[in-house]
Amino acid sequence: MPDTAAAIIPAGGAGLRMGQGTPKQFLPLAGVPVIVHTIRALAASGDIGPIILVVPENGLLAAREILVAHGLDHVTRLVVGGRRRQDSVEQGLAAVPEGVEYTIVHDGARPLVTPELVQRCLAEARRTGAAIAALPVKDTLKAVDKEHLIQNTVDRQGLWQAQTPQAARTEMLRQAHVAARLSGFTGTDEASLLARLGIPVSVVEGTELNIKITRPADLEIAEAILAERTSPAPYLTISKIGHGYDAHQLVADRPLVLGGVTIAHDLGLLGHSDADVLTHALCDAILGAAGLGDLGRHFPDTDPAFRGISSLLLLRQVMILARQQGFALGNADITVIAAAPKLTPHFPAMRELLATACASPAIAINLKATTTEGMGFAGRGEGMAAHAVVLLNRTALDLSPAVA
Ligand code: MG
């Protein structure tokens, strides 16, 4: 376990864009000030030792009250910031205790950061020296002039939006900030200050939900995200796994049917139905997952009604039985064991037929084929076998007691 890192939370913004008197970091979000969420998330990462909160001079009293009221004793220092974000972080760096090897900087106005993202960013910084959370740009970018006319489209290839947290070796951060101040450079994040000294900075993929509260609407969005996180959906998914195995003999004068597809071959599988060994394995796996026994129990091979029947019809019936239990097919993975013929060219057609019978998308069904390199009944071409593994999902009302 590496030593814990220090965290600096610049919370110095005057919140002018919010159009309210109170700085945005002190505005209530889901009942507590924005900054409280931010501090709790950093503390919950387990990777952070000292936390330094940097606030404007006129916010010092309010910040102190908030820390006490919410029992935030994780915050070891409360520091007055400067005019720019950069000045505030530099003030924060001065308060990082001696010997703390890594420091992570995180905007006070990004209260939805997850402890997991903090951990990932720090782990990457420990590996490379410096790392920030960022997101690849998804929207099309336009260069627009002052008259709101598009000048051109900017190639978004390789463009990422920087977020925080941003973590680096404490010494490198100090150097970068001093160098920026001495040369009068203003950067809007730590990475830009590090990069101008030629220090490589890597990115870890952030999350869309790690939003920065800058406009009043952002508070509403943040509130909705928090509500989603804290109140689990009243439904939960129950997943059941099932396995199926089947083998049939290969004989002359029988059609070869696999996955519902009739394949040109000099031998076919012997059985009461069409002897579609692949579909039988799938049926058994579905029945297994649903706790409904096996194919023979539902469709006995002594029943003349099932003589020569297409196994796709059996599969359709099996899925109806599973659906009556509330189950839908999550996915199926099927392996056919056969010496010949080559089956892969027929897989797309099989997938379509099987998926249709299961009322599932084709992507839910994966098909594989293998030989046994001449060994055993399949290797000698006396028969074919198939294995299937299936996951069924049932969505049910969650009746477990709600967590307060
Ligand atoms: Mg069978």
Side-chain angles (χ1 to χ4, degrees), residues 246-248 280:
D246 196 23
H248 281 262
H280 291 183

Side-chain angles (χ1 to χ4, degrees), residues 245-248 273 275-277 280-281 284 295:
Y245 173 76
D246 196 23
H248 281 262
S273 65
D276 182 339
V277 69
H280 291 183
D284 266 346
L295 201 57

